[in-house]
């Protein structure tokens, strides 16, 4: 329903800010889905977006969302790269830094649980 409503908005009469808001809402409609197919659809939407019209904050947000999709689909290494790109584009975008920190923390926890402890020696 949300996607149908968003698609009714006309792109030709929108300024860049409105177009970004519409795009972001479309992407977010896929973001928290339980369906892997829908998350892949959201990732595809991000990947096919022409970034040339957007400012650095907006580009950073799109890379942050891309990283979230990649992480949810099991591509943690690619998610790490996307978060890195997001903070390089807009170093002042705190949300990208925070999400990257959460990913790094989860990777550290996975590494610690996979590494044999010193107690077993």
């Amino acid at each position: 329903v949300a996607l149908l409503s968003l698609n009714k908005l006309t792109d030709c009469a929108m300024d860049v800010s409105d177009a970004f808001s519409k795009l972001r809402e479309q992407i977010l409609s896929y973001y928290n889905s339980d369906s892997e197919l829908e998350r892949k659809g959201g990732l595809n939407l991000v990947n096919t977006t022409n970034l040339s019209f957007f400012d650095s904050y907006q580009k950073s947000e799109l890379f942050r969302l891309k990283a979230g999709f990649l992480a949810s689909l099991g591509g943690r290494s690619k998610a790490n790269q996307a978060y890195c790109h997001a903070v390089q584009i807009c170093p002042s975008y705190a949300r990208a830094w925070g999400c990257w920190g959460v990913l790094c923390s989860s990777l550290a926890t996975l590494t610690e649980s996979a590494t044999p402890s010193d107690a077993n020696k």
Side-chain angles (χ1 to χ4, degrees):
V1 174
L3 286 175
L4 292 174
S5 297
L6 287 168
N7 285 331
K8 289 180 182 179
L9 296 173
T10 57
D11 289 291
C12 59
M14 284 190 197
D15 66 0
V16 174
S17 178
D18 291 336
F20 174 76
S21 295
K22 176 188 171 192
L23 174 65
R24 185 175 181 278
E25 290 303 316
Q26 286 175 318
I27 292 167
L28 287 174
S29 68
Y30 293 104
Y31 198 72
N32 293 319
S33 175
D34 292 333
S35 167
E36 182 177 324
L37 186 61
E38 284 190 27
R39 290 192 313 267
K40 284 182 180 179
L43 178 59
N44 185 49
L45 182 57
V46 173
N47 285 335
T48 58
T49 298
N50 182 354
L51 300 178
S52 63
F53 300 105
F54 301 121
D55 64 25
S56 61
Y57 162 80
Q58 294 165 332
K59 289 176 187 176
S60 183
E61 172 64 0
L62 291 172
F63 274 97
R64 184 191 72 80
L65 292 170
K66 177 179 180 174
F69 280 119
L70 289 167
S72 74
L73 293 168
R76 291 185 179 96
S77 176
K78 289 184 179 183
N80 187 50
Q81 290 173 348
Y83 281 129
C84 181
H85 200 78
V87 298
Q88 285 176 341
I89 291 171
C90 186
S92 62
Y93 187 41
R95 194 168 188 186
W97 282 104
C99 291
W100 193 15
V102 169
L103 176 71
C104 290
S105 178
S106 70
L107 291 174
T109 302
L110 285 173
T111 302
E112 286 176 1
S113 65
T115 305
S117 66
D118 291 333
N120 293 337
K121 290 183 179 179

